[in-house]
């Protein structure tokens, strides 16, 4: 073959290589100079998810409205450096322990472990440098999936055991974003992994979520004290603003004088899911009338934290310069109950050597009338 004949072949090979890696770009550099990458997954049906190796953050999630127009429906930042600032945990993988641990301490096998107090007297979302602030190792799939791994060393943020964690994001052609969480440990430990995406189905930065309609498949929830720590009671939602067994607008009862709504400054509660068996089961459904977008959340987890962005206050400017005001998004964080390590009656969050932690959550998008 002559050099001239080789040129078309070289062009084709170059294009193929570029195409394979075109879903990856540099997002930024950590303060210690490590490169942070952003991977964009695309489904054949046009849904797009951009995921950062820093914090495993879902930076953007574009899904069609009823006219087929793609809109970004999660809060976040265009620039990487904003993710280094104090957290609202936009889109991040949260761990080791999503949600709160009272007094930032727990006892396991007779040993007391002390954690950082990063939320008043309590520990929130894994501590001062949780999984949302670490760099994950990426292994891209076929352009529709991304595997992220992280080794959390024994003693990190006060938790026992070397914990090896894998999170796989998969964007399926039926407009589902699936998240699989797997972990193993070499010492008894506790663990509660989740994703902290803030959704606004009208589009990120497009006002508040009070008119979104929500259904939650939960007869009970864990009432909280003023530090948002569960009291231990499993209370019926019946006759309260927390009853979403039939669809309700989120804003309909959020301002009621109900003690729990006052303590939560809105919805910031863990709902116990009605479930049968261990498989994926429907936890929540959200609809937004103007765009027609529908979000369904399915999970293998026993509970879901419903949070209405009560602590957002308009001081954060996000993607496209949008201002994120109070209740401009909602979180549906699938998980175990908060503070489980201090509540032996709650489903256990303990992981022992030889056992494998595995949970799955699916965010399914569609449109309705
Ligand atoms: C919690 C909120 C907290 C927020 C931080 C949510 O998971 O329930 O209380 O303020 O995370 O972004």
């Amino acid at each position: 073959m002559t050099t001239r004949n080789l040129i078309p072949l070289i062009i084709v090979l170059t294009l193929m290589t570029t195409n394979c890696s075109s879903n990856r770009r540099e997002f930024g550099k950590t303060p210690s100079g490590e490169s942070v990458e952003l991977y964009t997954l695309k489904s054949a049906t046009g849904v797009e998810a951009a995921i950062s190796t820093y914090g495993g953050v879902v930076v953007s999630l574009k899904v069609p409205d009823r006219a087929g127009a793609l809109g970004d429906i999660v809060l976040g930042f265009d620039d990487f450096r904003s993710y280094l600032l104090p957290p609202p945990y936009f889109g991040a993988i949260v761990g080791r322990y999503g949600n709160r641990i009272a007094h930032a301490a727990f006892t396991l096998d007779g040993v007391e472990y002390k954690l950082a107090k990063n939320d008043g007297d309590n520990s929130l979302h894994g501590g001062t440098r949780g999984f949302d602030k670490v760099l994950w190792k990426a292994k891209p799939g076929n352009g529709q999936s991304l595997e992220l791994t992280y080794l959390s060393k024994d003693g990190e943020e006060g938790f026992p055991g070397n914990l090896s964690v894998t999170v796989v994001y998969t964007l399926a052609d039926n407009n589902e974003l699936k998240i699989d969480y797997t972990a193993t440990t070499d010492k008894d430990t506790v663990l509660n992994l989740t994703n902290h995406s803030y959704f606004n189905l009208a589009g990120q930065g497009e006002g508040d979520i009070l008119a979104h309609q929500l259904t939650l498949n939960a007869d009970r929830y864990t009432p909280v004290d003023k530090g948002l720590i569960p009291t231990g009671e499993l209370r019926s939602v019946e006759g309260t603003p927390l009853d979403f067994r039939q669809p309700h607008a989120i804003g309909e009862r959020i301002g009621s004088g109900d003690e729990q709504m006052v303590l939560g400054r809105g919805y910031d509660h863990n709902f116990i899911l009605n479930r049968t068996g261990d498989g994926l089961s429907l936890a929540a459904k959200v609809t937004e009338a103007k765009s027609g977008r529908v979000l369904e959340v399915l999970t293998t987890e026993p509970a879901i934290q419903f949070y209405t962005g009560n602590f957002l206050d308009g001081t954060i400017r996000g993607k496209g310069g949008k201002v994120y005001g109070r209740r401009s998004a909602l979180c549906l964080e699938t998980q175990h109950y908060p503070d489980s390590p201090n509540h032996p009656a709650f489903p256990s969050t303990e992981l022992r050597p030889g056992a494998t932690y595995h949970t799955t959550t699916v965010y399914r998008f569609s449109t309705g009338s």
Side-chain angles (χ1 to χ4, degrees), residues 88-89 100 125 196 198 228 268 305 307 311 333:
Y89 303 91
R100 291 175 172 81
H125 295 335
H196 211 301
Y198 283 68
L228 295 171
D268 197 350
Q305 180 82 8
Y307 169 59
F311 294 112
E333 306 155 45

